[in-house]
Amino acid sequence: MTTHASIIGIGSYLPERILTNAELETLVDTSDEWIRSRTGIVERRIVADDQATSDLAAAALTAALMKAGIAPNGIDLLIVGTSSPDMLFPSTACLVQNRLGMVCPAFDINAACSGFVYALQAGVSAIESGRAGRVAVVGADALTRIIDFTDRSTCVLFGDGAGAVILEATDEPGVLGIALGADGSGADLLKVPAGGSARPITRDALDARENFLTMNGSEVFRFAVKIIPRATNEALAASGLTVTDLDWLVPHQANQRIIQTVGQRLGIPSDRVFSRVDRVGNTSAASIPLALDDLYTSGQLAPGDLIALVGFGAGLTWGAGVVRWTMARPTKEA
Ligand code: ACO
């Protein structure tokens, strides 16, 4: 019998500190009206001074393990999707593994905002090949650490957070088709120029503010509204399904205008396109599992629902996964 992978636990974590549009108005030449109308974002969360990406990831994973009823040492593999690791190395996954007392192999995947779907693919592959029985897949980012808070074109967009799922080997398929893609010719559209081997952190690099994220927003917007429908249809085709079979679209939460446009292009009713970008902004690799956890916790997901998870980001990268939801609705006390 073929082995499949299903989601048996989900959890998420947001830092406590809320950064409002009103506060951003005091930092750069922007307005609440501009941010709301161009992005849909009202507020976002940012890490405390003593928090890092591994703290967010560990909190989300702890919640997912509790929901699954699995002890940390019951996991065979830990994968963390992140592009804002605590350090260049060791991997954030190793820091989380140690924090939770896990004993399994652990590694990071950097596919920027597509990181969660890339990590999901790696986790599903490990289970389907029989190399792991249970895999923890985390998406976690603290992009506000690499955002230039003097650059109004980027600092209004991003927030911090983490989300995690536990995958387990099952007879019935939970995660169906996944379609991933990359186009490195778009690498310059969204990047952090300094801090890697190409451009180490020097006084010159700091003076030029090259240690911060830079983005060509309009080009990324154009890419996003084209690639999300394509990737969704590819993942559905790989599952032997079409868009009319979908109960929910959970796209990467970058901009409400992108979310709305792709919903329309796919012909999915707006009340079936999940969005919480207003409250959290763009949390990069965390955004899809955070949104999925919100959808689940709100009681809107029913067992058997078919969901498309779709991400896009720096690289350029993209990825879509089709999931048959198998977890029971949350109980009141959960
Ligand atoms: N407040 C006020 N004005 C602003 C701000 C701001 N915060 N930011 C930009 N502007 C100005 C610009 O300077 C420009 O002024 P000008 O016409 O005088 O030059 C004007 O607003 C319009 O700028 P555009 O860039 O054309 O605005 P647009 O409507 O395209 O919105 C945005 C910009 C929100 C960035 C949009 O392009 C977008 O969301 N792009 C996609 C970004 C994205 O999804 N990135 C995440 C990728 S995932 C990852 O891997 C991290």
Side-chain angles (χ1 to χ4, degrees), residues 30 34 38 112-113 152-153 156 190 215 217 254-255 257 282 313-314:
T30 190
W34 191 96
R38 297 297 181 108
C113 299
R152 70 175 182 176
S153 68
V156 302
L190 184 48
M215 179 174 72
N255 181 323
R257 282 157 57 217
N282 181 346

Side-chain angles (χ1 to χ4, degrees), residues 2-72:
T2 314
T3 302
H4 299 282
S6 296
I7 295 175
I8 61 156
I10 184 162
S12 61
Y13 174 78
L14 287 170
E16 277 176 24
R17 161 109 156 80
I18 295 173
L19 177 62
T20 62
N21 291 349
E23 214 174 329
L24 286 164
E25 285 177 353
T26 68
L27 300 176
V28 288
D29 180 14
T30 190
S31 66
D32 176 51
E33 198 283 318
W34 191 96
I35 302 171
R36 281 180 197 243
S37 62
R38 297 297 181 108
T39 72
I41 300 167
V42 176
E43 61 185 35
R44 68 291 287 144
R45 301 296 185 99
I46 61 171
V47 279
D49 289 346
D50 61 354
Q51 276 183 319
T53 298
S54 65
D55 297 303
L56 314 183
L61 179 51
T62 301
L65 285 165
M66 274 181 64
K67 196 59 64 65
I70 305 286

Side-chain angles (χ1 to χ4, degrees), residues 24 28-32 34-35 37-39 41 83 111-114 141 143 151-158 190 213 215-224 252-258 282-285 312-317:
L24 286 164
V28 288
D29 180 14
T30 190
S31 66
D32 176 51
W34 191 96
I35 302 171
S37 62
R38 297 297 181 108
T39 72
I41 300 167
S83 51
C113 299
S114 312
D141 267 309
L143 283 197
D151 175 8
R152 70 175 182 176
S153 68
T154 53
C155 75
V156 302
L157 302 174
F158 297 95
L190 184 48
L213 177 152
M215 179 174 72
N216 180 330
S218 49
E219 283 297 320
V220 174
F221 193 105
R222 263 193 285 279
F223 158 70
H252 172 43
Q253 310 280 300
N255 181 323
Q256 185 56 32
R257 282 157 57 217
I258 295 176
N282 181 346
T283 56
S284 191
F312 67 92
L316 297 169
T317 56

